[in-house]
Amino acid sequence: MVAAATALLAACGGGSGGSSSGGTVGSNVVTPTPSPSQTTSACSLSARKQFAREVIDQWYLFPDLVNTGANPASYATVQDYINALVAPARAQSKDRYFTYITSIAEENAYYASGSTAGFGMRLALDSSSLVVLEAFEGAPALAAGIDRGSRIVAIGTSAGTMRDVADILASDGSYGISEALGPSDPGVTRYLEVEGLGIVALSKTDFALDPVSDRYGAKIIDAGGVRAGYINLRTFIDTAEPDLRAAFDSFRAQGIDKFIIDLRYNGGGLVAIADVMGDLMGRDNVGQVWSRMTVRPSKAAEFNSTRLFEAQPEAVAPVKVAFIGRGGTASASELVINSMLPYLGTNMALVGANTYGKPVGQFGIDNPACDDRMRVVAFRTENADGNADYFTGLAASVPVTCQANDDYTDPLGDPAEASISAAIDFLAGRSCQAIASGGQSTQSVAARRALLASPRPSTAQREVPGLF
């Protein structure tokens, strides 16, 4: 039988040409009634396509924006067929590769523990080189001395086959860089020329991504006349909960009432963790509306729901909050920012750049015999005031915004870093330049730096934009 999986809220890179920024909503189990039929015990391509079509027919949030005439026989892969079915919604920017098919085992491993394979660094394209925006503990890159601010100028499969990043970009574009870095499999080795380090041989390994860094993920910043609790959350996975509870408990014990929540690269993840984060910032809002989830009309009676703030022993009562966001900030991250807006108003700000714009989330429907999990856009989220359709990002919804660069020459968590400095200024009552709500075209080169996307993203790469 086809089984149910979790609800997700994240922005996703995907399939053929999907842009990176991904996520999932919630750890609640969704039980399809009726569930799509499994037409054959064999996992033939045609049977898997039929499974995908039945999921879309029953669950897709935009039933009027499905290409019902798409012929499954015309498409070489399940994902290609899915892309054809949801093309009308994609044309309206309502489904930017958010509906996809993935591996049950791979996804479960990531959400449970952050398990993935790679070099363990987050990359962005900057002119003719790759910039490392973040390196993860316990992974090969950081162990080799590669960290935030490192520049990769050439890539090869050996020291004798190095190609300049600029040449790869010129001939093959950004996906050529992704291909040059190799698949996300343990043992894949690449030679990287890193400014200041020379040529470094790195082999991809399995590692568990820590959602709140032990180096800078949670701390108190005392600078610029402000004492603030700082949280840098990388991704919304199960292992984030104990770290978040410990951090807010420490802030509560020390009387902290101003906060900097750094979600600048956070592509989303489990809604259940976003809910916990809201509770931890909502001591004075217990029993009030945190968020609402709405599905297609045919499923509304069974699945529409309202989630209220719940009491937590570690919770704080913020006076002011600065949320740091960028183009990679999506989905569950946006849910947190949007849901706090009715309660903080002008006492909160979006700092950095406009967010990705993903007010919708996916349910996961499983076909266990084939290790197929269909992630289908099935619901939207709204805050207590009904704000829900921020497909162009949250800058137009948040009344106070402060434009700031992502200054990779300073460490994350450092009060001198440009976005954190701007957040401190907001908390101190100082003025700032507003973010352009229509996008990032008017911002500086540093503000427009693009996270590197994979054309075939793993679960971890969907949820952690720029991960390699």
Side-chain angles (χ1 to χ4, degrees), residues 128-218:
S128 60
S129 65
L130 282 175
V131 174
V132 178
L133 298 181
E134 195 170 14
F136 303 116
E137 300 80 10
L142 187 60
I146 299 171
D147 203 351
R148 180 172 172 84
S150 296
R151 281 186 176 271
I152 299 169
V153 296
I155 304 167
T157 55
S158 68
T161 61
M162 304 296 288
R163 291 183 66 196
D164 288 346
V165 169
D167 292 342
I168 299 172
L169 277 172
S171 61
D172 303 312
S174 62
Y175 282 162
I177 301 294
S178 175
E179 293 296 292
L181 291 169
S184 298
D185 298 325
V188 170
T189 299
R190 291 294 184 268
Y191 288 72
L192 309 177
E193 184 177 345
V194 184
E195 288 185 354
L197 292 178
I199 296 178
V200 178
L202 283 186
S203 295
K204 296 184 179 183
T205 62
D206 290 316
F207 69 98
L209 192 151
D210 188 355
V212 180
S213 170
D214 292 336
R215 293 188 291 158
Y216 50 76

Side-chain angles (χ1 to χ4, degrees), residues 321-323 333-334 336-342 344-351 353-355 383 387 390 393-402 426 434-437:
V321 179
F323 289 99
S333 292
E334 291 174 303
V336 170
I337 299 169
N338 188 48
S339 293
M340 290 301 296
L341 184 56
L344 289 170
T346 57
N347 286 319
M348 65 172 266
L350 174 63
V351 176
N354 197 7
T355 62
N383 66 16
N387 191 47
Y390 45 88
L394 280 171
S397 299
V398 180
V400 180
T401 64
C402 296
F426 165 73
I435 295 170
S437 61

Side-chain angles (χ1 to χ4, degrees), residues 347-423:
N347 286 319
M348 65 172 266
L350 174 63
V351 176
N354 197 7
T355 62
Y356 183 74
K358 184 176 181 286
V360 295
Q362 302 100 299
F363 285 165
I365 312 297
D366 287 356
N367 186 351
C370 307
D371 189 38
D372 278 341
R373 176 167 292 163
M374 177 77 174
R375 280 292 174 193
V376 58
V377 168
F379 64 95
R380 72 172 194 166
T381 62
E382 62 184 56
N383 66 16
D385 292 340
N387 191 47
D389 295 322
Y390 45 88
F391 287 100
T392 58
L394 280 171
S397 299
V398 180
V400 180
T401 64
C402 296
Q403 181 178 310
N405 286 339
D406 181 17
D407 182 9
Y408 61 80
T409 62
D410 287 312
L412 293 167
D414 189 329
E417 191 276 325
S419 291
I420 297 175
S421 177

Side-chain angles (χ1 to χ4, degrees), residues 294-317:
T294 57
V295 298
R296 58 191 281 166
S298 63
K299 299 288 187 182
E302 187 177 2
F303 287 99
N304 279 5
S305 63
T306 298
R307 206 273 182 180
L308 308 180
F309 284 91
E310 298 178 0
Q312 303 291 347
E314 306 89 353
V316 299

Side-chain angles (χ1 to χ4, degrees), residues 3-337:
T6 57
L8 291 156
L9 217 179
C12 313
S16 51
S19 71
S20 177
S21 252
T24 306
V25 176
S27 60
N28 53 302
V29 173
V30 178
T31 304
T33 307
S35 61
S37 60
Q38 194 167 343
T39 58
T40 176
S41 59
C43 295
S44 66
L45 180 60
S46 61
R48 295 174 67 224
K49 288 178 182 176
Q50 180 64 21
F51 165 70
R53 174 62 187 268
E54 290 180 355
V55 170
I56 287 174
D57 285 347
Q58 292 187 37
W59 292 97
Y60 198 54
L61 181 62
F62 311 110
D64 296 334
L65 295 176
V66 175
N67 177 16
T68 57
N71 180 1
S74 301
Y75 301 95
T77 69
V78 179
Q79 187 61 55
D80 288 343
Y81 180 49
I82 292 169
N83 292 344
L85 289 170
V86 303
R90 187 163 297 152
Q92 296 186 23
S93 296
K94 292 183 176 180
D95 187 346
R96 285 173 282 169
Y97 296 90
F98 305 149
T99 298
Y100 58 92
I101 198 153
T102 188
S103 159
I104 298 169
E106 178 187 297
E107 191 176 269
N108 287 351
Y110 174 73
Y111 286 113
S113 65
S115 175
T116 186
F119 300 128
M121 55 185 172
R122 194 191 303 265
L123 299 174
L125 290 167
D126 189 15
S127 184
S128 60
S129 65
L130 282 175
V131 174
V132 178
L133 298 181
E134 195 170 14
F136 303 116
E137 300 80 10
L142 187 60
I146 299 171
D147 203 351
R148 180 172 172 84
S150 296
R151 281 186 176 271
I152 299 169
V153 296
I155 304 167
T157 55
S158 68
T161 61
M162 304 296 288
R163 291 183 66 196
D164 288 346
V165 169
D167 292 342
I168 299 172
L169 277 172
S171 61
D172 303 312
S174 62
Y175 282 162
I177 301 294
S178 175
E179 293 296 292
L181 291 169
S184 298
D185 298 325
V188 170
T189 299
R190 291 294 184 268
Y191 288 72
L192 309 177
E193 184 177 345
V194 184
E195 288 185 354
L197 292 178
I199 296 178
V200 178
L202 283 186
S203 295
K204 296 184 179 183
T205 62
D206 290 316
F207 69 98
L209 192 151
D210 188 355
V212 180
S213 170
D214 292 336
R215 293 188 291 158
Y216 50 76
K219 60 190 294 187
I220 291 177
I221 290 177
D222 197 340
V226 170
R227 191 165 184 259
Y230 174 83
I231 292 277
N232 184 299
L233 181 63
R234 291 164 165 168
T235 183
F236 289 80
I237 57 177
D238 285 334
T239 51
E241 182 170 347
D243 286 347
L244 291 173
R245 289 187 182 277
F248 279 100
D249 194 41
S250 174
F251 298 153
R252 179 197 56 78
Q254 297 179 71
I256 301 297
D257 60 7
K258 295 183 178 67
F259 299 90
I260 300 171
I261 309 299
D262 197 338
L263 303 171
R264 72 181 73 191
Y265 311 129
N266 191 318
L270 298 172
V271 171
I273 302 303
D275 292 345
V276 169
M277 195 168 194
D279 292 342
L280 292 171
M281 292 188 288
R283 190 177 71 199
D284 290 348
N285 306 323
V286 173
Q288 299 184 71
V289 173
W290 163 245
S291 67
R292 296 186 181 92
M293 181 176 77
T294 57
V295 298
R296 58 191 281 166
S298 63
K299 299 288 187 182
E302 187 177 2
F303 287 99
N304 279 5
S305 63
T306 298
R307 206 273 182 180
L308 308 180
F309 284 91
E310 298 178 0
Q312 303 291 347
E314 306 89 353
V316 299
V319 171
K320 295 185 82 172
V321 179
F323 289 99
I324 298 178
R326 310 202 69 75
T329 304
S331 224
S333 292
E334 291 174 303
L335 181 151
V336 170
I337 299 169

